[in-house]
Amino acid sequence: MTILVTGGAGFIGSNFVLDWLAHSEEAVVNLDKLTYAGNLESLASLQGDPRHIFVRGDIGDRSLVDRLLIEHHPRAVINFAAESHVDRSIHGPEDFIQTNIVGTFHLLEAVRGYYNALPATEKSSFRFLHVSTDEVYGSLTPEAPPFTEENPYEPNSPYSASKAASDHLVRAYHHTYGLPVLTTNCSNNYGPYHFPEKMIPLMIVNALAGKHLPVYGDGMQVRDWLYVKDHCSAIRRVLEDGRLGETYNVGGWNEKPNIEVVKTICKLLDQYRPRSDGKSYADQITYVSDRPGHDQRYAIDARKIERELNWKPSETFESGITKTVRWYLENTEWVRHVQSGTYRDWIKKQYS
Ligand code: NAD
Ligand code: DAU
């Protein structure tokens, strides 16, 4: 048996592929466009493993996706592929519309054609799992209860609007065409192989490089952090036993203001890699201009997935952030190649 994963060279996708193959013998076809965010070095440990079939390509390339579905006959498609960085979506939303909305539409069309042609027995077990975000629900006030699956969609950035649109398409393909879909809406992930343009890895690598730690606005925006391996286990559970057409919120019950997260990272670095001048990395914190339209607070009510699928995160924020800081200290080559673009030179050579 085989699954098709899209975006499996990105942060969460690569963790998912590694995790999947650590738990199962079932092969993974990994379709990834290798944008700046896709990095095959994250999957270097799978080199030569016949269970991992990497294909460079776009989820919006209908003929390629048609061919992959026929050739590999997957029993499930898990869609991670997306443009995912809010700040980039503010500077240039077009790629977000193209991949997150148009790309998801083409992927759904290809999967619909494939699904319709499956024999009845295979139809009943086939799944399309769409990986989405808590940002589609908009922003919470400090006193509001966390987002449940019943919250209305109120996206505020081009990124979250494009993810909301993709979620709606997925829902419509279930209701209109009977496609067996599942959607997960997850809070902020952190952990190994996180591209250092997102807050947590950016703060770690900037701190070590002696650079400023740029905190947006007053640093009091709240995010609900989930260790990436816990997100992977939640996706596995939803794929296994999730009810068709349902959405499942996934979160870590770890609400933290950004400034607290940055100070925690500084403390861990002070402990594991003290600065040579004896000062704290916290001295490098700098408050910078706020993100336009910055959402104040996200928080996930993850009781539905716990109740229905018996899923709970296994890491606390303290254990997850410690593992993450240590991973970045131990994987300086990965960081160096991302920063220098070396991994992209390799892609050029390999795929020109
Ligand atoms: P990422 O940016 O690290 O990875 C995205 C991957 O998709 C990259 O490998 C990229 O090359 C690939 N990709 C982009 N456009 C593509 C296309 N048109 N066709 C094929 N591949 C393409 O993102 P991530 O943080 O790993 O997020 C993965 C998914 O999870 C996204 O859908 C995102 O919206 C969602 N999500 C992320 C978080 C988070 O905290 N990072 C939280 C909740 C949900
Ligand atoms: O909530 C889930 C979302 O989390 C995912 O859907 C997105 O794909 C993912 O990128 C992430 O979005 P955020 O915007 O929350 O993540 P980011 O790491 O960019 O920022 C986290 C918080 O830190 C946010 O409030 C902005 C702030 N920040 C970010 C950066 C990059 C800073 O203060 N300074 C920074 O330099």
Side-chain angles (χ1 to χ4, degrees):
M1 297 222 280
T2 302
I3 60 167
L4 172 63
V5 165
T6 72
F11 163 48
I12 305 174
S14 60
N15 275 286
F16 181 82
V17 170
L18 292 168
D19 205 55
W20 181 269
L21 293 175
H23 284 89
S24 153
E25 284 308 306
E26 192 173 2
V28 176
V29 179
N30 182 352
L31 171 64
D32 195 297
K33 189 175 171 181
L34 296 181
T35 65
Y36 78 95
N39 183 356
L40 284 178
E41 278 194 33
S42 308
L43 297 165
S45 61
L46 296 177
Q47 228 165 17
D49 188 329
R51 298 173 304 161
H52 179 232
I53 301 143
F54 181 77
V55 180
R56 187 182 194 184
D58 195 316
I59 55 167
D61 182 343
R62 177 69 198 272
S63 56
L64 170 65
V65 179
D66 282 344
R67 180 170 69 68
L68 291 178
L69 290 168
I70 289 168
E71 198 174 308
H72 296 284
H73 204 73
R75 64 148 178 123
V77 174
I78 304 170
N79 184 28
F80 292 95
E83 289 292 338
S84 72
H85 190 194
V86 176
D87 293 326
R88 283 183 187 251
S89 85
I90 294 167
H91 291 294
E94 195 164 344
D95 286 347
F96 290 73
I97 307 304
Q98 201 52 45
T99 284
N100 300 358
I101 307 178
V102 182
T104 303
F105 159 70
H106 286 299
L107 179 65
L108 281 165
E109 277 291 278
V111 172
R112 178 164 78 95
Y114 169 71
Y115 173 75
N116 283 340
L118 287 177
T121 47
E122 291 181 26
K123 268 197 171 114
S124 63
S125 58
F126 183 80
R127 299 286 182 269
F128 179 92
L129 192 155
H130 178 63
V131 180
S132 192
T133 169
D134 58 359
E135 298 202 15
V136 296
Y137 297 122
S139 184
L140 291 167
T141 57
E143 317 73 38
F147 302 125
T148 72
E149 290 79 359
E150 308 307 319
N151 272 65
Y153 273 30
E154 290 176 352
N156 290 321
S157 71
Y159 162 69
S160 53
S162 67
K163 288 297 290 186
S166 68
D167 293 8
H168 290 322
L169 282 171
V170 170
R171 174 189 160 89
Y173 271 62
H174 176 66
H175 282 267
T176 307
Y177 303 117
L179 198 69
V181 307
L182 299 154
T183 299
T184 53
N185 292 89
C186 189
S187 61
N188 284 64
N189 284 214
Y190 66 102
Y193 305 115
H194 205 179
F195 195 83
E197 67 181 0
K198 306 282 176 74
M199 187 184 75
I200 286 185
L202 180 96
M203 296 299 170
I204 300 171
V205 302
N206 274 16
L208 293 170
K211 295 183 181 164
H212 289 311
L213 309 182
V215 174
Y216 295 165
D218 61 2
M220 289 311 290
Q221 295 80 13
V222 171
R223 297 293 183 265
D224 181 354
W225 294 97
L226 181 70
Y227 191 63
V228 64
K229 301 281 180 205
D230 280 328
H231 189 188
C232 296
S233 73
I235 292 171
R236 285 204 314 276
R237 278 301 295 133
V238 173
L239 185 65
E240 235 170 291
D241 285 324
R243 285 187 293 130
L244 293 188
E246 290 291 314
T247 64
Y248 291 91
N249 282 357
V250 184
W253 303 102
N254 281 314
E255 282 187 62
K256 308 266 175 218
N258 293 333
I259 188 65
E260 190 181 320
V261 173
V262 177
K263 286 184 175 166
T264 302
I265 291 169
C266 291
K267 258 197 203 140
L268 287 166
L269 288 173
D270 288 342
Q271 182 185 342
Y272 292 120
R273 183 69 52 84
R275 266 174 48 160
S276 52
D277 61 5
K279 292 185 175 163
S280 170
Y281 287 97
D283 290 358
Q284 291 165 231
I285 294 174
T286 315
Y287 291 90
V288 299
S289 307
D290 210 349
R291 172 185 280 174
H294 200 169
D295 283 340
Q296 184 59 36
R297 174 178 166 236
Y298 306 141
I300 279 282
D301 181 333
R303 281 178 298 178
K304 177 177 174 184
I305 187 170
E306 181 176 347
R307 194 173 58 243
E308 289 191 14
L309 302 176
N310 199 23
W311 175 87
K312 261 191 189 176
S314 61
E315 299 289 346
T316 62
F317 185 70
E318 290 63 34
S319 64
I321 195 70
T322 304
K323 281 185 181 176
T324 304
V325 166
R326 294 190 69 109
W327 188 89
Y328 278 88
L329 287 172
E330 285 157 15
N331 289 274
T332 47
E333 277 298 275
W334 183 91
V335 173
R336 200 171 58 75
H337 288 171
V338 170
Q339 288 182 317
S340 68
T342 308
Y343 77 102
R344 264 177 266 154
D345 296 342
W346 183 83
I347 289 164
K348 240 189 250 157
K349 216 190 309 164
Q350 177 81 354
Y351 294 100
S352 58

